[in-house]
Amino acid sequence: MKLKTLAALTALIASPLTLADEILVVMSDTAQMTLKNGYDYKTGVYLNELMEPVKLFLDAGHTLTFASPKGMAPRLDPVSDTSDHFLDVSKANYEAHKALFNQLKIDDKTDSPVVSFARIEQIGIDKFDAVFVPGGHAPLGDLVANPQLGEFLRHFNAQKKPTGLVCHGPVALL
């Protein structure tokens, strides 16, 4: 898992995405999925898969817009809330990324900066230079075959704009 994340981050850093100014970060509204056996599985965005790239983007001076289908504050996948998933597993690295997550208020139900796909359409998809979709299991809930997201991704492809997807994020391509 760490090797896959390292490879994905290396590809993002080495790609034209590092030259982007405005990056659209797409996340899921899904916080729970009912599995086959009726078990309710708590899910959300994976802390490391979101925050390691987000920190790199911000450190490089990019502007980020966070979006999800309905514009809900995403849930942090409880399984991901550990230093074990980060490239640098040190407590200090985990705490720095978690502090940034909290500072950005990404999962704050009142003050989250996350906007809806409808709002992205109002802003105009042309405004964005790149798109990034982090993983976690949540994208399986509402990013698979999402028509609005499909339009966004086709736009980025047609315009040859960088598209980064990590772990379960590529389900957005369906």
Side-chain angles (χ1 to χ4, degrees):
M1 176 73 120
K2 288 182 190 175
L3 187 54
K4 287 179 187 176
T5 302
L6 177 60
L9 285 174
T10 302
L12 284 172
I13 294 166
S15 79
L17 184 59
T18 58
L19 304 175
D21 292 323
E22 300 275 339
I23 301 173
L24 177 62
V25 179
V26 174
M27 294 176 289
S28 172
D29 292 317
T30 301
Q32 182 172 300
M33 295 187 294
T34 303
L35 303 181
K36 229 178 185 180
N37 64 2
Y39 173 74
D40 287 330
Y41 178 73
K42 291 185 184 341
T43 189
V45 66
Y46 253 56
L47 182 63
N48 67 311
E49 293 173 11
L50 173 65
M51 295 312 298
E52 286 186 286
V54 161
K55 185 172 182 333
L56 290 171
F57 298 153
L58 291 174
D59 288 350
H62 303 298
T63 301
L64 306 182
T65 299
F66 298 96
S68 69
K70 296 176 185 171
M72 296 170 50
R75 176 177 163 77
L76 180 63
D77 190 310
V79 173
S80 74
D81 197 6
T82 174
S83 65
D84 295 339
H85 296 291
F86 285 84
L87 298 174
D88 171 357
V89 297
S90 71
K91 183 177 181 181
N93 182 63
Y94 162 78
E95 288 174 352
H97 285 87
K98 183 69 182 263
L100 179 59
F101 180 82
N102 292 333
Q103 177 188 345
L104 294 172
K105 299 182 178 185
I106 292 170
D107 68 342
D108 187 304
K109 290 187 191 303
T110 309
D111 294 324
S112 176
V114 178
V115 298
S116 68
F117 287 177
R119 180 68 183 125
I120 295 300
E121 287 177 343
Q122 291 172 340
I123 292 168
I125 196 67
D126 286 334
K127 173 188 177 194
F128 301 98
D129 302 300
V131 62
F132 172 66
V133 183
H137 296 112
L140 297 169
D142 60 358
L143 298 186
V144 173
N146 182 294
Q148 285 177 298
L149 183 54
E151 288 178 31
F152 297 164
L153 293 171
R154 280 189 292 282
H155 168 81
F156 282 98
N157 184 54
Q159 299 298 313
K160 297 183 178 13
K161 291 182 177 182
T163 302
L165 305 111
V166 175
C167 201
H168 285 75
V171 303
L173 298 173
L174 298 174

